[in-house]
Amino acid sequence: MIEILLVAASDERAREIGALLRDSGMAHNLRSEAGDARHLVRHAAHLKKTDLLIIEADALSAADLGALEQASTHAPQLTCMLVTPALSTDMLMAAMRAGVRHVLSWPLDAHAFARELSHVAGKKHAQTRRAARVLSFVAGKGGVGTTLVAANLAYVLAAARDKRVLVVDLNQLFADATLLLTDKPPPATLHDLCTQIDRLDAAFFEACVARVHPNLDVLAGAGDPVKAGELRASQLQRVLELVREQYDVVICDVGQEINPLSIQALDQSEAICVVLQQTIPHLHASRRLLDLFGQLGYAANKTRLIVNCYDKREQVGVDDIERTLGARPAHLLPPDEKSARHAVNQGMPLAAAAKSSALAKSIDVLATALCPAQHEPAKRSLARLFAPKAGAAQLKPSH
Ligand SMILES: Nc1ncnc2c1ncn2[C@@H]1O[C@H](COP(=O)(O)OP(=O)(O)OP(=O)(O)O)[C@@H](O)[C@H]1O
Ligand SMILES: [Mg+2]
């Protein structure tokens, strides 16, 4: 998905560029603004997230060139394209000096335009290779809240922590992770993807996921146990290899089934979150899970115990859990039936449907614990760099 900002002098040409973008078949988000390049300063914050800036103009003034130069200097990921009906050698040279790398004459040639777009998409793909943190959510018993926790944690990381997040629903029965985040049906399932695994590439993958937030995709579960049974660990391995490069966090809703497929996800996970509640059967099932993880060779510190619907008045307390499972719970989530039901029935994450609920707040704390913010040196914000300084010197081109 490429993020495009179009700044166009002519409304009519802006509409035509929009139509060409749609026809190109390239996945994109377009924001269109009327005006000149010199007004880029107004979009300083947005430029940070933009891959392609298209300027449509008859001419470029010194102020336009200065603003373009600042934009390309301070948003290094940005590719600048100029579209003009009045291209001259002088204009071409000035635009290139200001950081414009693609210059096209109006009327646009659809093929040339599509070729430039695919360069931008290729550049973005090369820049955005990531190494996702894979987190798996498992439970010894059904109905403990594994999917609710996994899906809502994913949403918080995407919407409030600006991470690119993918949820992979590995449930073998009637997988429902998508239902907790959207009321729209997913375009495809993990089973659909795996049965066409030879076609797998970034574009095919993108066509298979449900985009529930600009930062959050969900790969829906197989949908029924028969189809789920056909999935192969080697297929999931290929999917995970691909998605690790595209997302910051990959969350696998494993549920209860431990089989070659889910072991593939667990092997690749940095942390395995075991969700349980405060009853003896839950302790028993969780103990068996932890024993199994020991047999699979996982270090004890790879697992995190998450107690859902925690109530301190319950007979089985935190000390009992620690004694039985050999580790203190990493997090305690409160019971909040009203908020949980309200969110689930609307197909909305808790952070949107019941933002101030105790459960939403507790999931936010869990997000920080599982994905702590990395220490980054203080960055000068683009907005500050664009802020007007005394005098008019800031918009001067360097040539
Ligand atoms: N902290 C909570 N407070 C109140 N209700 C909750 C809480 N967590 C989950 N629930 C509710 O419990 C039910 C089961 O949740 P969920 O589907 O997430 O469990 P699961 O472990 O994924 O189940 P399954 O075994 O079917 O995969 C849902 O109705 C959900 O809204
Ligand atoms: Mg579930």
Side-chain angles (χ1 to χ4, degrees), residues 147 171 176 253:
T147 304
N171 277 278
D176 56 3
D253 179 7

Side-chain angles (χ1 to χ4, degrees), residues 223-280:
D224 74 54
V226 177
K227 286 182 174 167
E230 292 169 3
L231 301 174
R232 297 284 154 262
S234 58
Q235 296 168 334
L236 182 63
Q237 185 183 8
R238 278 190 63 181
V239 174
L240 290 176
E241 267 166 20
L242 177 87
V243 301
R244 285 185 86 119
E245 287 185 352
Q246 322 245 327
Y247 294 88
D248 299 312
V249 184
V250 173
I251 291 185
C252 299
D253 179 7
V254 170
Q256 283 178 269
E257 298 274 338
I258 304 296
N259 54 31
L261 191 78
S262 56
I263 289 173
Q264 177 63 235
L266 298 176
D267 281 350
Q268 298 211 24
S269 296
E270 210 164 299
I272 302 172
C273 299
V274 177
V275 186
L276 70 149
Q277 294 190 8
Q278 294 162 277
T279 69
I280 296 299

